[in-house]
Amino acid sequence: GEPIVQNTIYPRFWSLDDQLEQLLKLEPEAHRIWLALNAMMSSPNRVDDNAVSRAHDRLIARLQGAGVELIAMDHAFPQWMTLTRCRDPKAHGCIPRRDMRAGSTYRRFLDNYEATWRTLARRFAKIRRWEPGNETNHDPFLKPAFGRFSFVDKAAITTDLMYRAHRGIHAAN
C-alpha cells in the first residue's frame, strides 16, 4: 500500500497517472488504498465531490480494471468526527476518552465513526475489502486529546472502533 492520492495532492510528488503506471508495472494482485477521508469528507454522512474523491474514483477504476483487489484503509480522526480538539495543534486527530455512558462525547464519536465508514462503503461500493484503522497500538495513530491511553484503553477503543466500522460497512455494502 502507498498513499497514492495523497502523494498526488502535494506538488513535490508524482502525478496520479505516473504513480499508477509504475504500480501496475509491478503486476500487483492486491493494493491497499489510503482513503484520505479527512481531505474528502467534511461530515460523517458526505463524501465531498472534490479533487481527492475524483482521484480515488480514477485510482479504483484503473486498478480494478487491471484485476487488482483493493483494500481501502484510513486511520484519520478529523475533528468533525471526534468532536474533540487536540492539545497539540500539530496533531492530526485526537479522540475523546472512552466513556460508554449514553450521550457522552465518546459515544457520539463512535456514532460519527460508524456513519463515516457507512458513507465510505456506500460511496466506494466496488471495494469489497476494508481496513478501518491502522496501528492503533501506536500513540500517533490513536491518541487522546490529553495524556496517553494505556494498552488496556487502546484494546477497548480498538474493539469499539472495529465493531462500529464493521456495522457501518455492512449496512452500506
Side-chain angles (χ1 to χ4, degrees):
E2 174 64 22
I4 290 177
V5 172
Q6 290 86 319
N7 290 347
T8 305
I9 295 169
Y10 305 105
R12 68 181 185 267
F13 295 112
W14 295 354
S15 74
L16 180 62
D17 291 325
D18 289 342
Q19 290 179 79
L20 280 168
E21 181 181 327
Q22 294 303 314
L23 175 62
L24 289 171
K25 284 180 182 178
L26 297 172
E27 299 180 6
E29 293 178 16
H31 183 74
R32 180 180 183 226
I33 298 175
W34 294 34
L35 289 176
L37 70 86
N38 57 342
M40 70 175 160
M41 296 180 76
S42 54
S43 76
N45 299 305
R46 181 170 175 254
V47 175
D48 301 326
D49 184 29
N50 61 24
V52 177
S53 60
R54 288 192 306 275
H56 275 90
D57 290 335
R58 286 182 51 217
L59 174 74
I60 291 164
R62 182 103 180 262
L63 290 174
Q64 286 184 327
V68 178
E69 181 177 17
L70 302 178
I71 302 110
M73 186 280 294
D74 203 284
H75 61 260
F77 297 109
Q79 190 175 348
W80 52 258
M81 177 196 293
T82 66
L83 312 168
T84 303
R85 283 190 184 274
C86 295
R87 179 184 213 176
D88 177 1
K90 295 178 185 174
H92 66 271
C94 297
I95 66 171
R97 292 241 176 242
R98 189 169 191 266
D99 176 357
M100 295 305 289
R101 291 178 293 183
S104 71
T105 302
Y106 183 77
R107 291 283 295 269
R108 291 182 301 151
F109 154 62
L110 289 178
D111 292 342
N112 286 342
Y113 189 78
E114 182 176 330
T116 299
W117 285 99
R118 183 176 54 248
T119 301
L120 288 168
R122 185 179 310 121
R123 172 65 172 75
F124 299 108
K126 291 182 180 181
I127 294 176
R128 291 298 192 218
R129 305 233 183 256
W130 296 88
E131 182 184 345
N134 180 57
E135 299 178 16
T136 54
N137 63 322
H138 188 44
D139 288 343
F141 297 132
L142 187 66
K143 61 185 167 288
F146 298 96
R148 293 176 67 146
F149 288 128
S150 70
F151 285 117
V152 171
D153 292 334
K154 288 179 184 183
I157 292 165
T158 299
T159 301
D160 294 340
L161 296 175
M162 297 306 102
Y163 175 73
R164 296 299 289 267
H166 178 273
R167 277 188 3 182
I169 291 164
H170 283 272
N173 190 345

